[in-house]
Amino acid sequence: MAENSNDLPSLNDAIDEVSKEVLASLLKEICQEYPSTTELVQSRLFVSEDDVARPGKSATSTSVHGDSNSSDDKGEDTTPATDSRFKNLRKRYAECTNCKEEFDVAGNTVTSCSYHPDISQPDYEEFVDHDENCHGIIDSEEMREDFPENFYFVCCERRFNEKGCVTDWHMETRIDFGVSKRRKF
Ligand SMILES: [Zn+2]
Ligand SMILES: [Zn+2]
């Protein structure tokens, strides 16, 4: 109360705390109101198929210069004369089959993903005092969240809260059988 009464609550805090649904609707509203915002949002949420980084595709053959780690840069000065970067647009963010995280398909590298190829199992020795009848099923999502150190991955015996034992590209959940290459006109 001693604070200046003109102080507004922090906008950043409000953005952090509001639900995804409210944010989405707000962003759509802003895009409708201000066309320049639409372009900015499109450039962040879409990417040209040519700029998608994936295994077997040389990073240097994409003809995108200096973009290796400049996701927060505009990087517009290297645009070719043609508008080729706007062809074959696709969504820029996808879910990874292996780590289940959302990733930027344009920023994917051979070391982006860290995951465990095998399942995790309870270390029952850590649950000696646990009675499943009153404390709940041990081998469950909930118990993994509450007691990550009591579960281990079969592949490497690392605990549930430890880093993945395999490092690789993020793999898109969407099965890519070259659909985009054979797209219709
Ligand atoms: Zn592992
Ligand atoms: Zn991943």
Side-chain angles (χ1 to χ4, degrees):
M1 283 301 153
E3 305 251 324
N4 187 331
S5 59
N6 288 331
D7 281 350
L8 286 168
S10 158
L11 182 57
N12 282 344
D13 285 350
I15 291 171
D16 286 342
E17 287 161 23
V18 79
S19 72
K20 178 185 179 259
E21 288 71 25
V22 172
L23 266 192
S25 128
L26 175 63
L27 191 55
K28 287 174 195 167
E29 210 177 301
I30 292 171
C31 286
Q32 271 192 338
E33 192 88 9
Y34 306 100
S36 62
T37 313
T38 304
E39 283 175 32
L40 175 67
V41 173
Q42 279 174 337
S43 73
R44 297 300 169 98
L45 295 185
F46 295 142
V47 68
S48 164
E49 193 67 54
D50 294 343
D51 291 339
V52 174
R54 56 165 68 95
K57 182 176 167 185
S58 165
T60 55
S61 69
T62 59
S63 81
V64 177
H65 309 284
D67 68 330
S68 53
N69 51 10
S70 60
S71 57
D72 52 351
D73 277 350
K74 286 183 225 90
E76 287 170 351
D77 51 346
T78 58
T79 309
T82 63
D83 235 1
S84 63
R85 76 194 164 117
F86 289 121
K87 72 179 183 188
N88 295 338
L89 282 187
R90 50 151 293 162
K91 287 180 191 165
R92 182 169 180 168
Y93 294 91
E95 189 188 81
C96 174
T97 312
N98 294 324
C99 68
K100 310 297 179 205
E101 284 178 18
E102 186 179 54
F103 69 100
D104 177 355
V105 298
N108 200 6
T109 74
V110 70
T111 56
S112 291
C113 184
S114 173
Y115 73 101
H116 297 276
D118 282 338
I119 57 165
S120 60
Q121 285 188 342
D123 181 352
Y124 284 102
E125 286 179 16
E126 302 286 349
F127 290 98
V128 281
D129 296 327
H130 186 104
D131 180 352
E132 287 195 321
N133 290 323
C134 37
H135 301 123
I137 303 291
I138 289 174
D139 197 354
S140 66
E141 293 267 329
E142 197 180 24
M143 294 299 281
R144 279 169 174 75
E145 268 177 36
D146 292 346
F147 305 101
E149 66 284 359
N150 292 356
F151 292 81
Y152 68 95
F153 286 96
V154 175
C155 41
C156 57
E157 298 194 352
R158 287 185 195 173
R159 298 287 138 169
F160 193 73
N161 50 357
E162 287 186 87
K163 198 173 175 291
C165 60
V166 171
T167 300
D168 203 348
W169 297 80
H170 286 298
M171 303 297 270
E172 281 190 67
T173 299
R174 186 185 68 150
I175 299 171
D176 188 354
F177 285 125
V179 172
S180 58
K181 288 175 201 147
R182 293 186 283 110
R183 66 208 283 268
K184 294 175 196 155
F185 295 106

